[in-house]
């Protein structure tokens, strides 16, 4: 048995801001993927996944929301008993949606009366999917927007207008010329955990100054970045990304591993690249934007970079 593939995702813009109704833009990242599989003899990694699936199945059985979604938990438990696991190349704790792909796979296989990708995806259907996915993914993070699984399930870019307004989006086609701009992932070499980072954010939200900064700087620049990216306005985009990168360095320091503070600052000062959080931060990947990838590569020669989008 092997289920369909579900891909990783990258939230280009909107980390933390979407909790407070900023815009966001999330794109599928097909470099990593996962699928449900079954085997009689499980290796260590598969056995750990099988065990985790059992906990998830128990959670779904004990936290049923029949008005929202009904899962065939009997079949799910039966398949887990027969050696089902999630075979995934998506790195965990890297901000690219490892739990999201798993949630999408579980919904696809075990939800009754599921909304399919082939339907006319109205705003109401997208919101319902997002709510279902948030419910399931909260098993992993305690608090989930449901966006990662939505992206993985649909394998389409998702534009977030606000908490209650999401739509699938078309993004400008990539231009692959030499020496041109790129969005890239920088591997921090550290595994990050979502829950502690979100807790730090929620604690900070109790401060008036932080809340004002979030609204007047962070959300403002995030919204502008989304609009610039979708309209292909690269000059304005880089001006706003620079501001966003600066705001994150000033106000989200705990989410940036300390050994990257200087590198972050160097990008802002030289304008060779700008760094931002990929997901909740604390490790995993750091997202980079540059108008000249060759230059950025030289500045960041000690790090492993992966291009995810060409300007």
């Amino acid at each position: 048995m092997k289920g369909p593939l579900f891909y990783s995702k990258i939230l280009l813009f909107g980390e933390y801001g979407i909790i407070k109704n900023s815009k966001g833009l999330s794109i599928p990242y097909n470099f990593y993927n996962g699928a449900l599989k079954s085997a009689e003899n499980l290796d260590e990694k598969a056995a750990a996944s099988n065990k985790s699936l059992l906990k998830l199945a128990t959670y779904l059985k004990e936290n049923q929301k029949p008005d929202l979604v009904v899962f065939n938990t009997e079949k799910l438990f039966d398949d887990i008993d027969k050696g089902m696991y999630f075979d995934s190349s998506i790195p965990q704790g890297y901000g690219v949606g490892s739990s999201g792909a798993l949630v999408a796979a579980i919904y696809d296989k075990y939800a009754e009366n599921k909304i399919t990708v082939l339907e006319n995806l109205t705003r109401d259907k997208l919101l319902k999917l997002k709510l279902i996915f948030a419910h399931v993914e909260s098993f992993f993070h305690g608090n989930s927007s449901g966006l990662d699984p939505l992206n993985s399930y649909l394998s389409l870019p998702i534009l977030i207008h606000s908490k209650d307004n999401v739509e699938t989006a078309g993004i400008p086609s990539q231009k692959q010329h030499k020496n041109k701009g790129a969005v890239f992932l920088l591997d921090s070499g550290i595994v990050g955990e979502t829950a502690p980072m979100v807790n730090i954010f929620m604690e900070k939200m109790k401060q008036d100054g932080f809340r004002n900064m979030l609204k007047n700087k962070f959300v403002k620049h995030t919204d502008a970045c989304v609009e610039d990216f979708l309209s292909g306005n690269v000059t304005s985009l880089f001006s706003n990304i620079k501001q966003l990168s600066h705001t994150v360095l000033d106000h989200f320091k705990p989410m940036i591993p300390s050994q990257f503070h200087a590198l972050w600052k160097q990008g802002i000062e030289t304008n060779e690249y700008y760094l931002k959080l990929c997901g909740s931060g604390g490790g995993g990947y750091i997202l980079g934007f540059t108008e000249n990838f060759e230059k950025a590569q030289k500045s960041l020669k000690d790090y492993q970079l992966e291009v995810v989008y060409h300007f």
Side-chain angles (χ1 to χ4, degrees), residues 226-243:
V226 171
E227 282 159 27
D228 289 341
F229 186 88
L230 289 174
S231 62
N233 190 344
V234 177
T235 311
S236 177
L237 173 66
F238 276 92
S239 161
N240 278 306
I241 286 172
K242 181 176 184 174
Q243 302 267 18

Side-chain angles (χ1 to χ4, degrees), residues 128-185:
K128 186 172 181 185
L129 276 173
K130 185 172 169 288
L131 282 171
I132 291 167
F133 291 145
H135 161 58
V136 181
E137 201 182 30
S138 63
F139 165 75
F140 296 98
H141 302 314
N143 196 342
S144 164
S145 67
L147 280 167
D148 289 4
L150 185 64
N151 203 298
S152 190
Y153 184 63
L154 300 178
S155 225
L156 292 165
I158 304 284
L159 170 61
I160 302 110
H161 291 286
S162 66
K163 244 188 291 211
D164 305 323
N165 187 356
V166 293
E167 63 176 321
T168 55
I171 57 173
S173 58
Q174 299 194 44
K175 301 172 180 64
Q176 298 199 25
H177 301 304
K178 273 236 183 275
N179 298 339
K180 288 294 181 211
V183 182
F184 60 89
L185 293 173

Side-chain angles (χ1 to χ4, degrees), residues 32-68:
Y32 297 120
N33 58 60
L36 290 168
K37 288 185 183 175
S38 273
E40 281 181 21
N41 298 311
L42 302 179
D43 61 23
E44 200 180 331
K45 191 183 169 196
S49 169
N50 177 265
K51 214 172 179 176
S52 173
L53 282 178
L54 184 60
K55 286 180 187 165
L56 174 61
T58 306
Y59 171 83
L60 290 176
K61 192 178 179 182
E62 290 171 358
N63 296 274
Q64 302 225 32
K65 289 200 171 179
D67 294 347
L68 185 64

Side-chain angles (χ1 to χ4, degrees), residues 1-6 33-37 85-89 101 105:
M1 179 202 106
K2 184 174 186 286
L5 286 177
F6 290 92
N33 58 60
L36 290 168
K37 288 185 183 175
Y85 65 100
F86 191 58
D87 184 27
S88 170
S89 65

Side-chain angles (χ1 to χ4, degrees), residues 30-266:
N30 297 357
F31 188 74
Y32 297 120
N33 58 60
L36 290 168
K37 288 185 183 175
S38 273
E40 281 181 21
N41 298 311
L42 302 179
D43 61 23
E44 200 180 331
K45 191 183 169 196
S49 169
N50 177 265
K51 214 172 179 176
S52 173
L53 282 178
L54 184 60
K55 286 180 187 165
L56 174 61
T58 306
Y59 171 83
L60 290 176
K61 192 178 179 182
E62 290 171 358
N63 296 274
Q64 302 225 32
K65 289 200 171 179
D67 294 347
L68 185 64
V69 63
V70 174
F71 286 101
N72 186 344
T73 50
E74 204 174 306
K75 187 175 186 322
L76 176 56
F77 277 111
D78 192 43
D79 287 345
I80 292 166
D81 198 39
K82 287 175 182 162
M84 186 172 75
Y85 65 100
F86 191 58
D87 184 27
S88 170
S89 65
I90 308 169
Q92 290 187 355
Y94 263 67
V96 286
S98 56
S99 61
L102 168 56
V103 169
I106 292 289
Y107 176 79
D108 181 64
K109 192 162 165 44
Y110 298 100
E112 296 183 357
N113 305 316
K114 68 179 183 188
I115 297 166
T116 72
V117 185
L118 303 172
E119 291 176 36
N120 173 20
L121 290 166
T122 60
R123 189 174 135 186
D124 285 349
K125 283 180 184 172
L126 284 173
L127 272 179
K128 186 172 181 185
L129 276 173
K130 185 172 169 288
L131 282 171
I132 291 167
F133 291 145
H135 161 58
V136 181
E137 201 182 30
S138 63
F139 165 75
F140 296 98
H141 302 314
N143 196 342
S144 164
S145 67
L147 280 167
D148 289 4
L150 185 64
N151 203 298
S152 190
Y153 184 63
L154 300 178
S155 225
L156 292 165
I158 304 284
L159 170 61
I160 302 110
H161 291 286
S162 66
K163 244 188 291 211
D164 305 323
N165 187 356
V166 293
E167 63 176 321
T168 55
I171 57 173
S173 58
Q174 299 194 44
K175 301 172 180 64
Q176 298 199 25
H177 301 304
K178 273 236 183 275
N179 298 339
K180 288 294 181 211
V183 182
F184 60 89
L185 293 173
L186 183 156
D187 188 346
S188 72
I190 305 158
V191 174
E193 280 191 56
T194 301
M197 295 296 119
V198 173
N199 289 342
I200 291 170
F201 176 76
M202 289 308 190
E203 276 303 306
K204 281 177 168 283
M205 283 299 289
K206 292 173 183 172
Q207 303 160 16
D208 286 349
F210 187 82
R211 282 202 305 275
N212 289 336
M213 173 283 302
L214 198 79
K215 185 177 153 196
N216 300 322
K217 285 188 176 174
F218 189 77
V219 170
K220 183 181 142 195
H221 297 315
T222 296
D223 287 359
C225 284
V226 171
E227 282 159 27
D228 289 341
F229 186 88
L230 289 174
S231 62
N233 190 344
V234 177
T235 311
S236 177
L237 173 66
F238 276 92
S239 161
N240 278 306
I241 286 172
K242 181 176 184 174
Q243 302 267 18
L244 189 57
S245 183
H246 216 305
T247 303
V248 172
L249 184 61
D250 288 347
H251 301 281
F252 288 79
K253 271 214 169 76
M255 287 75 166
I256 306 169
S258 54
Q259 59 269 51
F260 289 95
H261 290 179
L263 204 67
W264 204 285
K265 194 165 177 238
Q266 178 187 304

